[in-house]
Amino acid sequence: QVQVVESGGGLVQPGGSLRLSCVASGSVSGLYGMGWYRQAPGKQRELVAFITIRDITNYASSVKGRFTISRGNAQNTVYLQMNSLKPEDTAVYYCNGRTLVADSWGQGTQVTVSS
């Protein structure tokens, strides 16, 4: 079993930056990747970015060139650097930890982009 906890959300003006962090605990040796998803009001949860233990990354087309996912020195930590934020990036952002048998989700952190 893996548990994940996110942090780092908040209110930012359009064009600004935020950095989200996520730490996994529990059976982290079974992780093959961690990522970020988001859900805006009235919309389905969608992939933002994902990184495997071999540092293979995948991004949603809407965030390519603006967001960067990375892993910390500790294999159980992942970051999402968000630059050039837009109002449409407003959502609850969820950290995901994935093993071969299960997905683990955090409680979510609110990101609001507004002037």
Side-chain angles (χ1 to χ4, degrees):
Q1 190 80 8
V2 173
Q3 297 81 40
V4 295
V5 178
E6 331 67 353
S7 61
L11 173 65
V12 64
Q13 292 187 343
S17 298
L18 277 177
R19 189 192 196 208
L20 305 183
S21 301
C22 178
V23 179
S25 61
S27 302
V28 296
S29 61
L31 286 170
Y32 77 78
M34 295 179 69
W36 293 94
Y37 289 70
R38 67 186 181 187
Q39 187 166 17
K43 294 188 177 182
Q44 290 188 330
R45 189 174 296 188
E46 63 177 3
L47 171 71
V48 177
F50 195 86
I51 185 167
T52 72
I53 58 173
R54 298 184 184 274
D55 289 333
I56 297 171
T57 58
N58 183 35
Y59 292 93
S61 58
S62 60
V63 307
K64 277 183 180 177
R66 299 189 298 123
F67 292 9
T68 302
I69 190 169
S70 61
R71 293 192 300 124
N73 291 332
Q75 297 299 304
N76 63 329
T77 304
V78 67
Y79 304 100
L80 185 68
Q81 178 66 42
M82 304 185 293
N83 298 328
S84 302
L85 282 159
K86 304 175 181 180
E88 50 263 43
D89 294 317
T90 295
V92 178
Y93 284 68
Y94 296 91
C95 181
N96 169 254
R98 185 164 298 163
T99 69
L100 291 178
V101 297
D103 279 308
S104 298
W105 297 94
Q107 295 290 323
T109 185
Q110 177 70 45
V111 171
T112 301
V113 185
S114 175
S115 56

